[in-house]
Amino acid sequence: QVQVVESGGGLVQPGGSLRLSCAASISETIFSTNDMGWFRQAPGKERELVATISSGGITIYADSVKGRFTISRVDAKKTVYLQMNNLRPEDTAVYYCNARLRGGSWYVRWGQGTQVTVSA
């Protein structure tokens, strides 16, 4: 069963930056064939998709984070990153990552995520 471990969260002031990492427990070959995504869930809200990166490196972002967040991947490390700049209080949430095959559904069992808190 594929597992992912998210890390890199913390407390940051508005306007600050954080870099999240997500390491997957699968082979590099399998990882490289998966699209990867970052999600977040704020208290009292549903989990939402923040950014995706395809196996070919094509990226898509939610409107709320465009121009501020950057998703990237290093297949040799089986890791996907989320660089978050100009953070806002409304970015406060638990951030999760997941994987899917092209045209498929997100299939990784949700991990514990990493908490991001943006506050003065």
Side-chain angles (χ1 to χ4, degrees):
Q1 184 176 1
V2 177
Q3 292 183 322
V4 294
V5 178
E6 302 94 344
S7 62
L11 173 64
V12 64
Q13 293 185 341
S17 298
L18 283 173
R19 188 193 193 204
L20 307 184
S21 299
C22 167
S25 64
I26 52 178
S27 72
E28 177 184 344
T29 299
I30 295 175
F31 181 86
S32 67
T33 64
N34 278 258
D35 297 345
M36 299 298 296
W38 280 100
F39 296 74
R40 67 186 180 186
Q41 187 168 21
K45 295 187 177 181
E46 293 190 353
R47 187 175 285 135
E48 64 172 343
L49 180 60
V50 173
T52 63
I53 184 166
S54 73
S55 57
I58 297 172
T59 58
I60 299 175
Y61 298 93
D63 288 343
S64 58
V65 305
K66 279 182 183 177
R68 301 188 298 121
F69 290 12
T70 302
I71 187 171
S72 61
R73 62 190 297 159
V74 177
D75 290 346
K77 294 185 177 182
K78 301 170 288 182
T79 300
V80 62
Y81 303 96
L82 187 67
Q83 177 67 44
M84 306 186 296
N85 297 328
N86 192 21
L87 282 161
R88 303 168 179 170
E90 53 264 39
D91 295 318
T92 295
V94 179
Y95 285 71
Y96 304 87
C97 69
N98 215 306
R100 68 182 179 191
L101 294 171
R102 185 64 55 84
S105 301
W106 302 102
Y107 66 84
V108 178
R109 184 176 181 178
W110 296 107
Q112 293 189 340
T114 186
Q115 175 71 48
V116 171
T117 303
V118 185
S119 175

